């Protein structure tokens, strides 16, 4: 009897582990503020092993190449290092039950054979074709020769117009700055173009139709891409060469001044929730504001703030990647891991989370961001500047950053700087109740009409 039972277990396990996993696997990633469909398509490789692609239709029609796929003993693991994505799931009843991890955030994700369908949320501001203006897909090269792809909209195909280049915030973003079902740059570009302003928006390097590698790039690299966009517009006969400006959102608000400080031909810049304080100060303030909004006790906020201060100090003082990783590992192991375990997180999960945090914080982009101080660059900007923030922005605090921009204008003597706080708006310039990122995807509004009018009216005044 025992032998028969053992044989049965062997046959069951053999059937399980020998199962053909090729083909599409579908899942729904649910998180505060939204949902994303995930389709992982796996193919067998001759001689053994697998390749795969991952499609996230709410973010891009282009599937991403999965660079590492392992399947053994009923466990599927894959990774996309460029996007800092990792997945691990166990096969149960023809469904992989697992965890999707990106940028230190763990989310449950089950992958099955049945296609997932979700009802699209209403986005009433998105323009519908045919547009009452000219729109064309374009490409241009950055300084290293990689092609960047975007969309140029013109009030009319014939004519000569002032222009704005839209620069996205942090993280891999397409030309519409698409996130959580919203397309802020599509909506803003539509508004500006209808008002008589040409707009160029483009996919980040390595995103959508743009070439290049996103994961190793820093803010300065993205600034070189924006410079390339500026040079490209100056070659277009429909564009007034002395009336080209740059409007950047979030990290894009760091990039616009970098380009303008180096190039006196930049006619103006618009900083939409752009940071004007050092990266470590911005993150300390952001962590505090987000934690407080989520109900974290003051004592715990203070404790975590002190630990983050140590982390940021290590990043600012240690410039070599390997020693930096070692220092960060020590801080996390000694101070943060015990906190995670005390909150009921299993030790192995806490260790995995810590390891991912260390890798991200030691990355080129993050360490550069923490060390970066925008003030010296802002002090060199002499063109007209519009800086706007929502007073419910929890990611880039309005008062601290707009005050820093005012101080920079005083130091530089630039009399053409306008700063404005917009009541009730969050980091994405949506009318919101709390400003929390958990609201972003739930709100129907993509971009406040008040904010768009503020930007458009100011640009038209500057380019007259």
């Amino acid at each position: 009897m025992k032998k028969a039972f053992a044989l049965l277990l062997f046959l069951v396990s053999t059937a399980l582990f020998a199962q053909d996993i090729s083909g599409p696997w579908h899942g729904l990633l649910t998180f505060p503020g939204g949902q994303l469909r995930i389709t992982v398509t796996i193919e067998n490789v001759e001689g053994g092993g697998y390749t795969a692609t991952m499609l996230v239709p709410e973010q891009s029609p282009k599937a991403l190449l999965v660079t590492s796929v392992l399947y053994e003993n009923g466990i599927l693991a894959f990774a996309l290092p460029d996007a800092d994505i990792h997945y691990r799931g166990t096969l149960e009843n023809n469904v992989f039950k697992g965890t999707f991890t990106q940028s230190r955030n763990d989310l449950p994700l089950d992958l099955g054979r049945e296609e997932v369908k979700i009802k699209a949320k209403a986005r009433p501001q998105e323009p519908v074709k045919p547009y009452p203006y000219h729109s064309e897909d374009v490409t241009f090269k950055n300084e290293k020769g990689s092609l960047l792809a975007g969309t140029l909209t013109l009030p009319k195909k014939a004519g000569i117009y002032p222009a704005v280049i839209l620069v996205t915030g942090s993280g891999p973003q397409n030309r519409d700055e698409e996130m959580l079902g919203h397309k802020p740059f599509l909506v803003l570009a539509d508004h500006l173009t209808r008002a008589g302003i040409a707009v160029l928006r483009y996919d980040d390097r390595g995103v959508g139709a743009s070439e290049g590698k996103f994961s190793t790039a820093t803010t300065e690299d993205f600034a070189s891409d924006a410079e390339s966009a500026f040079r490209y517009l100056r070659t277009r006969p429909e564009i007034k060469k002395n009336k080209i400006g740059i409007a950047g959102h979030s990290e894009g608000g760091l990039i616009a001044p970098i380009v303008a400080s180096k190039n006196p031909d930049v006619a103006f810049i618009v900083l939409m929730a752009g940071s004007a304080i050092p990266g470590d100060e911005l993150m300390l303030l952001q962590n505090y504001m987000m934690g407080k909004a989520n109900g974290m006790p003051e004592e715990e906020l203070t404790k975590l703030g002190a630990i983050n201060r140590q982390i940021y100090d290590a990043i600012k003082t240690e410039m070599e990647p390997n020693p930096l990783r070692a220092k960060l590992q020590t801080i996390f192991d000694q101070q943060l891991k015990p906190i995670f375990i005390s909150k009921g997180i299993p030790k192995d999960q806490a260790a995995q989370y810590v390891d991912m945090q260390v890798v991200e914080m030691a990355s080129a982009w993050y360490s550069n961001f923490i060390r970066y101080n925008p003030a010296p660059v802002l002090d060199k900007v002499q063109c007209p500047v519009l800086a706007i923030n929502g007073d419910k922005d929890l990611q880039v605090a309005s008062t601290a950053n707009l005050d820093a921009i005012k101080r920079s204008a005083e130091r530089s003597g630039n009399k053409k700087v306008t700063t404005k706080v917009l009541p009730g708006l969050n980091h994405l310039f949506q009318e919101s109740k709390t400003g929390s990122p958990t609201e972003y995807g739930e709100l129907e509004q993509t971009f406040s009409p008040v904010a768009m009018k503020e930007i458009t009216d100011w640009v038209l005044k500057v380019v007259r």
Side-chain angles (χ1 to χ4, degrees):
M1 181 67 179
K2 288 182 179 178
K3 289 183 178 179
F5 182 66
L7 178 60
L8 178 62
L9 283 179
F10 172 76
L11 292 173
V12 170
S13 63
T14 300
L16 173 67
F17 300 148
Q19 178 170 341
D20 182 12
I21 63 167
S22 63
W25 295 83
H26 308 281
L28 184 64
L29 197 64
T30 301
F31 47 90
Q35 293 178 318
L36 293 173
R37 289 173 294 165
I38 305 283
T39 296
V40 179
T41 302
I42 300 173
E43 294 184 8
N44 295 315
V45 175
E46 187 176 348
Y50 305 93
T51 61
T53 59
M54 188 179 80
L55 177 67
V56 187
E58 278 72 42
Q59 293 188 333
S60 173
K62 180 181 177 182
L64 301 172
L65 179 65
V66 177
T67 55
S68 172
V69 187
L70 296 173
Y71 176 65
E72 188 174 9
N73 297 334
I75 296 174
L76 172 68
F78 63 80
L80 294 83
D82 284 357
D84 195 18
I85 290 172
H86 303 269
Y87 178 81
R88 182 182 176 89
T90 302
L91 189 61
E92 299 178 17
N93 298 319
N94 208 33
V95 173
F96 285 106
K97 295 185 175 295
T99 301
F100 179 98
T101 302
Q102 183 174 29
S103 302
R104 301 172 288 158
N105 297 309
D106 292 342
L107 295 169
L109 176 63
D110 294 345
L111 295 172
R113 291 299 197 179
E114 187 174 343
E115 188 173 353
V116 175
K117 295 181 180 180
I118 57 175
K119 185 178 180 180
K121 293 184 181 294
R123 300 294 184 234
Q125 289 179 290
E126 283 189 15
V128 178
K129 294 181 179 180
Y131 305 136
Y133 47 81
H134 177 70
S135 177
E136 65 177 279
D137 291 336
V138 299
T139 58
F140 53 92
K141 286 189 175 182
N142 65 13
E143 60 181 12
K144 293 186 178 180
S146 296
L147 273 179
L148 297 173
T151 298
L152 175 64
T153 52
L154 303 166
K156 292 181 180 179
K157 192 169 184 179
I160 303 177
Y161 308 101
V164 177
I165 299 165
L166 301 184
V167 182
T168 65
S170 60
Q173 310 245 301
N174 65 19
R175 66 193 71 186
D176 295 328
E177 203 185 34
E178 189 170 355
M179 65 185 83
L180 302 173
H182 286 289
K183 299 178 180 179
F185 276 9
L186 172 63
V187 173
L188 179 57
D190 177 77
H191 190 275
L192 289 165
T193 308
R194 288 172 188 262
I197 302 164
V199 180
L200 173 63
R201 62 192 199 275
Y202 58 94
D203 300 330
D204 290 350
R205 58 170 67 190
V207 176
S210 286
E211 297 177 355
K213 191 170 184 179
F214 184 90
S215 62
T216 57
T218 65
T219 301
E220 282 80 4
D221 295 322
F222 297 128
S224 73
D225 293 341
E227 289 173 8
S228 302
F230 182 84
R231 288 195 297 270
Y232 167 72
L233 277 189
R234 285 175 61 85
T235 69
R236 296 285 305 221
E238 310 96 331
I239 304 300
K240 293 182 179 179
K241 293 179 175 54
N242 63 339
K243 302 292 183 182
I244 304 171
I246 303 172
H249 175 235
S250 198
E251 185 189 11
L254 288 177
I255 291 168
I258 292 174
V259 180
S261 69
K262 297 177 181 178
N263 191 337
D265 291 328
V266 175
F268 59 88
I269 58 174
V270 179
L271 313 182
M272 301 177 285
S275 174
I277 60 179
D280 58 332
E281 293 180 20
L282 178 78
M283 292 309 299
L284 285 169
L285 188 53
Q286 182 185 115
N287 291 335
Y288 178 84
M289 292 173 66
M290 299 269 274
K292 193 173 184 66
N294 290 329
M296 189 178 291
E298 192 69 30
E299 182 180 353
E300 193 169 338
L301 286 168
T302 301
K303 184 177 181 179
L304 288 175
I307 296 172
N308 283 328
R309 178 74 276 168
Q310 292 182 54
I311 292 169
Y312 300 149
D313 285 346
I315 293 172
K316 291 175 72 174
T317 56
E318 181 54 72
M319 300 296 163
E320 294 299 321
N322 289 335
L324 173 57
R325 279 192 288 270
K327 285 186 177 181
L328 293 177
Q329 191 75 50
T330 299
I331 296 171
F332 273 92
D333 285 342
Q334 293 180 354
Q335 303 203 47
L336 279 175
K337 190 185 290 184
I339 294 176
F340 299 150
I341 294 172
S342 71
K343 292 184 176 295
I345 299 175
K347 287 185 179 180
D348 59 338
Q349 289 186 22
Q352 185 183 27
Y353 181 70
V354 162
D355 291 345
M356 288 189 297
Q357 289 249 21
V358 169
V359 169
E360 180 177 347
M361 291 189 169
S363 69
W365 181 87
Y366 195 90
S367 55
N368 178 78
F369 182 81
I370 293 298
R371 295 167 187 151
Y372 186 70
N373 180 5
V377 168
L378 282 167
D379 290 354
K380 296 176 182 177
V381 174
Q382 293 298 314
C383 68
V385 178
L386 171 65
I388 58 173
N389 277 76
D391 71 350
K392 290 189 177 179
D393 189 336
L394 301 182
Q395 294 182 246
V396 178
S398 58
T399 301
N401 287 280
L402 292 181
D403 284 353
I405 291 170
K406 292 175 187 176
R407 291 193 298 271
S408 174
E410 291 172 359
R411 289 192 301 268
S412 67
N414 188 349
K415 305 295 185 183
K416 298 165 286 188
V417 176
T418 302
T419 62
K420 192 157 189 177
V421 178
L422 302 177
L425 304 189
N426 62 20
H427 185 62
L428 302 188
F429 294 93
Q430 301 165 301
E431 296 168 16
S432 65
K433 293 180 180 178
T434 68
S436 171
T438 59
E439 287 185 311
Y440 295 169
E442 297 301 318
L443 295 170
E444 278 195 359
Q445 186 181 78
T446 296
F447 211 119
S448 162
V450 172
M452 289 194 289
K453 186 176 188 304
E454 195 74 40
I455 294 167
T456 303
D457 289 352
W458 182 86
V459 170
L460 289 173
K461 183 178 178 181
V462 167
V463 299
R464 264 186 208 144

